[in-house]
Amino acid sequence: MSLRTAPPAAAESEETAITDDDAHLLRALHDEHAEALYAHALRLVDGDRQRAEDLVQETLLRAWRHPESLDPRRGSVRAWLFTTARNLAIDAWRRRSTRVGEVYTDELPEPPEVVDETERAVEAWTVAEALSRLSPSHRDVLVECFYQGRSVAEAASRLGVPPGTVKSRTHYALRSLRLVLAEMGVTG
């Protein structure tokens, strides 16, 4: 395989024309290493043929851009190609793993659930009816802790009872609320 000693001056430009020497280098690299490089790339990308082809193409492009790396005096050309392919696969894996929430699927996502205001109103009335059937102390503790969003200490202060009483009343109030909702035919 004939190798150039230095890349052309504009080798890093995307619009660089390929010279006859470049074409010969790429053809020789491809003919000698492409099959083994493709098999190696397939293992690196868990059998994804498209990604393996892209990996081989990018590896050969890097070889073309850096022909000095392919000098046999610096080591095996195939080893350089395999190492470059491996590094490119690792870089691609890292880029994909940093994308949050990227999902590959052939199915469309489910449409967002439509909020039915009527259903919400019925649920609110049902809960209000169930709360009205509780004892005043149970109802008060649930309203303070759940609807007003107060902590146990704040609810205790507002209701004039110790925090332990708020905790136990909350426990028993929730049990009673569950029973009342069951009696009303609400399940779930």
Side-chain angles (χ1 to χ4, degrees):
M1 178 183 334
S2 168
L3 299 175
R4 291 180 308 190
T5 55
E12 297 302 319
S13 169
E14 291 292 326
E15 300 165 4
T16 302
I18 296 179
T19 66
D20 287 341
D21 287 342
D22 293 338
H24 177 70
L25 172 66
L26 286 173
R27 204 171 299 113
L29 277 173
H30 184 273
D31 292 346
E32 191 171 334
H33 302 288
E35 191 175 317
L37 187 57
Y38 180 72
H40 178 65
L42 268 175
R43 285 189 300 274
L44 292 172
V45 296
D46 294 326
D48 184 331
R49 293 180 182 278
Q50 182 63 48
R51 286 181 32 214
E53 289 173 6
D54 291 345
L55 197 56
V56 169
Q57 181 179 358
E58 182 62 28
T59 301
L60 292 174
L61 182 62
R62 295 272 174 108
W64 173 67
R65 286 183 175 164
H66 302 283
E68 71 280 359
S69 300
L70 303 175
D71 187 346
R73 294 175 294 199
R74 295 181 71 181
S76 166
V77 171
R78 185 168 284 190
W80 185 89
L81 291 170
F82 277 39
T83 301
T84 301
R86 180 180 175 276
N87 291 341
L88 289 168
I90 291 170
D91 290 346
W93 177 83
R94 286 179 180 155
R95 278 192 304 275
R96 281 190 314 276
S97 67
T98 60
R99 292 184 190 142
V100 176
E102 184 172 320
V103 176
Y104 298 102
T105 181
D106 291 335
E107 298 175 20
L108 293 174
E110 292 293 323
E113 196 172 306
V114 178
V115 177
D116 184 2
E117 293 301 323
T118 306
E119 189 173 317
R120 274 191 172 174
V122 169
E123 286 176 359
W125 289 331
T126 304
V127 171
E129 174 62 27
L131 283 173
S132 72
R133 295 183 185 184
L134 296 180
S135 69
S137 61
H138 284 166
R139 182 176 43 252
D140 292 344
V141 77
L142 290 180
V143 168
E144 289 297 321
C145 291
F146 291 99
Y147 289 102
Q148 300 297 326
R150 291 188 176 46
S151 68
V152 170
E154 292 170 333
S157 173
R158 290 189 50 89
L159 295 172
V161 296
T165 303
V166 170
K167 289 179 185 179
S168 67
R169 280 187 187 170
T170 301
H171 172 76
Y172 289 110
L174 287 173
R175 280 180 54 186
S176 297
L177 183 62
R178 234 179 266 123
L179 289 172
V180 168
L181 286 170
E183 289 172 0
M184 294 172 63
V186 177
T187 58

